[in-house]
Amino acid sequence: MPLWLKVALRRVGASREVEASAKVNTGFTIGPRPFIRLPRSLVEELGFDLSRAELMPGISDAGGRTLPVYWLGPVEVRVVVPDRITNWVRAIAVFTGAPSILLNDVLTARLKIAIEDPEVGLWRFRDEPLNKLRESAKPELY
């Protein structure tokens, strides 16, 4: 079972937030920056203009196939849990046409996520005791 987190998203400078489940993918690396892949419905809900998005050159998958990744712009992301308020982290929103939100490895690290058991979807914040395990959020596809 992949690890899913409930996150809140907003455009930088905006007060309106959108909550959704995001998949953690430590194999999603596009350089040393925090990225978040958004599905079309959230691209539109956050007010990005997909027709103006720029294709990022030189992005390929593990098999060397070119991937169409479109640069949308900056967003702020935080993890939503019932027992604490987490800090906002800036990330770059991208679009690929996929139906889910995907957090890259750098964004996952900046959100202070420690993956404890990816087989069953257990995680914790890095500043929490090792025995405080949290369960994966319910997956959401768009």
Side-chain angles (χ1 to χ4, degrees), residues 9-20:
L9 307 162
R10 68 182 181 193
R11 294 281 296 265
V12 172
S15 59
R16 185 175 169 283
E17 300 175 21
V18 175
E19 284 191 14

Side-chain angles (χ1 to χ4, degrees), residues 101-116:
I101 299 172
L102 190 66
L103 308 178
N104 83 331
D105 50 1
V106 177
L107 180 54
T108 301
R110 293 199 184 163
L111 291 169
K112 300 183 180 352
I113 303 301
I115 301 168
E116 295 296 330

Side-chain angles (χ1 to χ4, degrees), residues 112-114 116 123-130 132 134:
K112 300 183 180 352
I113 303 301
E116 295 296 330
W123 66 280
R124 65 181 178 82
F125 290 105
R126 288 195 315 256
D127 64 354
E128 292 180 319
L130 294 176
K132 179 161 182 156
R134 298 173 181 270

Side-chain angles (χ1 to χ4, degrees), residues 53-57 67-71:
E54 293 185 27
L55 186 61
M56 296 175 64
L67 293 175
V69 177
Y70 293 89
W71 180 289

Side-chain angles (χ1 to χ4, degrees), residues 10-125:
R10 68 182 181 193
R11 294 281 296 265
V12 172
S15 59
R16 185 175 169 283
E17 300 175 21
V18 175
E19 284 191 14
S21 290
K23 189 177 188 180
V24 174
N25 185 344
T26 59
F28 173 31
T29 303
I30 305 177
R33 299 170 88 173
F35 282 90
I36 184 167
R37 182 189 72 196
L38 301 177
R40 183 179 299 274
S41 60
L42 288 180
V43 168
E44 294 167 355
E45 191 169 345
L46 290 169
F48 286 109
D49 184 353
L50 196 51
S51 69
R52 294 181 152 200
E54 293 185 27
L55 186 61
M56 296 175 64
I59 307 296
S60 59
D61 66 12
R65 294 177 299 252
T66 300
L67 293 175
V69 177
Y70 293 89
W71 180 289
L72 300 170
V75 293
E76 293 176 312
V77 183
R78 69 179 182 84
V79 180
V80 177
V81 290
D83 60 336
R84 72 193 271 182
I85 303 296
T86 61
N87 293 328
W88 290 101
V89 174
R90 282 197 180 195
I92 298 161
V94 297
F95 175 77
T96 65
S100 63
I101 299 172
L102 190 66
L103 308 178
N104 83 331
D105 50 1
V106 177
L107 180 54
T108 301
R110 293 199 184 163
L111 291 169
K112 300 183 180 352
I113 303 301
I115 301 168
E116 295 296 330
D117 190 336
E119 181 180 9
V120 295
L122 296 177
W123 66 280
R124 65 181 178 82
F125 290 105

